[in-house]
Structure formats: structure tokens, C-alpha cells
Amino acid sequence: MEFHAQITSTNERAKVWARSGAREGSLVVADHQSHGRGRFGRAWVAPAGSALLFSLVLRPKIEPAKAALIALLAAAAVRQAVAESTGLDAAIKWPNDVLVGGKKLSGVLAESLLEGNRLEAVIAGIGVNVNQQTFATDRATSIWGLTGQNHPRFTLLAAILAGMHQRYQALSAGDGAALLAECRQHSATLGQDVVLRAGTSTVRGRAVDIDSDGRLVLDTADGLVRALAGEVSTGEEMA
Ligand code: BTN
């Protein structure tokens, strides 16, 4: 494990480390990131000392097409650790945000390193808003914002890592069923009418399932559509 008081991005560091042979389970934690990254090239910003920011190097023996399951696994572990340590009613917005009361508490940026067609490593980068008191958008919140109390970041880190370990072992043994059942049970997305944007394409439909590769299944006017990645909007965000 490496701890950095200040770093550009834990994902960037973990990628460099993985390329130079970091063992599975190598962990990069930071108190502050100057260039934290989110999905779709967005910035991920958190004041120093407020958020839980880390990246885990995994070397799953799965096909690249199944790498999305690693991000689902991370979100599921975050959701459970937050729910159990705070009592908050947290849900998973497909593919891997954790929401409480419709606001974002955590995001996952899972990046695959490929060697030809082989998945060499997956960097699971996780940000959890723990003790932030201000937010750039009213769609985000923190444990402090929801409970009015500071929460110990490293206790939460330990719980998330334990949860990831347990789910990763099951997945590595070929058992993805429990993970998918959990993601369906605690989904903020299933059963909703959504707009899914991926690159330049936009699909509208009802989110009806998460399939065994972690894809979101949408029931659309043109039949069932399966999406491996993208951004989902619901309700008033759809406009
Ligand atoms: C998202 O919701 O768009 C994903 C956000 C992921 C942020 C985390 S913070 C730790 C790790 N390092 C990064 O640069 N990004 C991830």
C-alpha cells in the first residue's frame, strides 16, 4: 500500500505501478488529488482531507468483456460498507455510482490495462464523499452532509476493501450470481424510465435488468437493448 498526502490521481499512479509489475491487491490511497479523474474525462474534485480516494490494482482472470463486473463489484462493496457503517439507505445507480436520496455519494472509475486481447489488470478507482461540507453541484452529497457527523475515512476504507475481497473471490471462482442479485436488489436504476447516453448514441427505455456481463438491459420501442457502458438519466434529469 502507498499513501500520498498529495498526488495527481491515484488511478494514474496505480496504472504506472501495475505496468511495472504491481501485485494484485496493491493499493494507492491519497488525502488529496490535484487531477482526480471521473468517468467521461470529467474532473473529480474533493478538498484535501475530506474524501476517501483510492485505487486498487486487480488482475482478474476474466475476459475483457466481463471487466465491467469489477466496477459493479466495487460499487456494491461501497454501498454495503456505507449502509452498514452509517445506517444510510444507499443504492447503486448503474453502472457504478452510489446514491443516497438520489444524490451521488461515491463514484468508481475502473480502467482496464490490456496486453493484446488479454486483460492484464483492472484499476478500480473509488472516490467516496465522506466529510465534505461543500459541493460543486446539488446532485452530490457526503456522509457528513447526510448525517451531520464526521465519519472515519480509514474505517470505511477497511470495510470497502473487505467487501471487495469477498465479492472478488466469489467472482474469481466463477460465481457472479450473488453479485448480480445484490446489484439488482439495491439498484436505483431498475424499473425506471431512463435515457442512456453512450458516446453519440442516445437510447430511451425502461431499465429492466442487469445481465450476467453487467450490462444494463433496456426495454425500448425497438425491443431489448443491452448497454455495457454509458450514463443513465432518470426523471427530470432526462430533459
Ligand atoms: C465517476 O463517478 O465519474 C468516477 C469517479 C472516480 C473518482 C476516483 S477518486 C480515486 C480515483 N482516482 C481518480 O483519479 N479517480 C478515482
Side-chain angles (χ1 to χ4, degrees):
M1 174 186 161
E2 288 184 359
F3 176 80
H4 299 264
Q6 160 85 27
I7 198 167
T8 51
S9 152
T10 57
N11 263 44
E12 288 311 311
R13 169 61 195 140
K15 255 198 260 179
V16 170
W17 197 8
R19 285 204 187 98
S20 65
R23 287 174 46 189
E24 175 158 85
S26 298
L27 175 67
V28 181
V29 184
D31 204 38
H32 185 237
Q33 299 182 120
S34 57
H35 294 81
R37 296 194 294 106
R39 295 170 68 225
F40 310 110
R42 295 188 187 128
W44 180 270
V45 181
S50 65
L52 178 56
L53 308 165
F54 67 97
S55 300
L56 186 65
V57 177
L58 294 171
R59 297 193 181 275
K61 292 177 184 52
I62 55 177
E63 302 151 38
K66 293 213 177 244
L69 293 174
I70 302 296
L72 282 187
L73 166 166
V78 171
R79 191 216 66 82
Q80 186 185 29
V82 167
E84 289 185 352
S85 65
T86 64
L88 292 168
D89 187 12
I92 303 168
K93 177 183 169 190
W94 184 90
N96 38 50
D97 288 349
V98 175
L99 309 184
V100 176
K103 294 190 177 196
K104 182 158 167 171
L105 192 75
S106 170
V108 177
L109 178 65
E111 298 185 279
S112 296
L113 301 187
L114 293 167
E115 181 80 48
N117 285 335
R118 198 178 62 81
L119 192 58
E120 195 199 322
V122 176
I123 309 301
I126 300 176
V128 188
N129 297 333
V130 182
N131 296 321
Q132 282 103 310
Q133 300 192 5
T134 54
F135 303 95
T137 138
D138 63 4
R139 293 198 184 146
T141 190
S142 68
I143 294 177
W144 183 92
L146 293 158
T147 63
Q149 287 179 345
N150 277 323
H151 195 79
R153 285 179 294 163
F154 297 111
T155 311
L156 187 62
L157 173 61
I160 295 170
L161 290 175
M164 288 180 73
H165 182 67
Q166 178 246 320
R167 289 167 179 82
Y168 187 69
Q169 283 197 312
L171 200 60
S172 301
D175 177 11
L179 173 65
L180 290 166
E182 180 185 18
C183 290
R184 292 180 185 122
Q185 184 190 345
H186 295 289
S187 177
T189 309
L190 293 184
Q192 307 261 353
D193 290 322
V194 305
V195 174
L196 181 114
R197 294 186 178 86
T200 53
S201 87
T202 300
V203 182
R204 282 175 187 270
R206 173 156 298 208
V208 291
D209 199 12
I210 296 168
D211 76 8
S212 58
D213 288 344
R215 294 178 297 190
L216 185 66
V217 184
L218 295 181
D219 189 2
T220 76
D222 300 325
L224 292 182
V225 171
R226 288 164 196 269
L228 188 56
E231 187 162 39
V232 165
S233 308
T234 52
E236 56 199 41
E237 304 163 2
M238 280 164 51

